[in-house]
Amino acid sequence: MADKFDPASTDKHADTPKERAAADKKADDELKKGLKDSFPASDPPSNTQPAKSVDNAK
């Protein structure tokens, strides 16, 4: 029997902490830019809105 129990191996496809931090910073910077460009307005910045769906019914 093994001396140590390892319940899960590391995810080889996961982002490194440095990559995840860079992605988080990019998203935060885009949100801040969107807020700054839209002020003063009641609509939220576009990067927080879902993409518009395509209307296939004609």
Side-chain angles (χ1 to χ4, degrees), residues 5-53:
F5 175 68
D6 185 13
S9 60
T10 57
D11 185 357
K12 65 181 180 180
H13 301 290
D15 292 339
T16 64
K18 191 178 253 186
E19 291 171 333
R20 189 69 251 150
D24 288 345
K25 181 176 179 348
K26 181 182 177 194
D28 188 52
D29 289 346
E30 289 175 1
L31 179 60
K32 284 181 183 178
K33 183 179 182 290
L35 287 170
K36 182 179 177 186
D37 292 344
S38 67
F39 187 78
S42 60
D43 295 335
S46 63
N47 66 334
T48 62
Q49 297 297 304
K52 297 204 186 306
S53 61

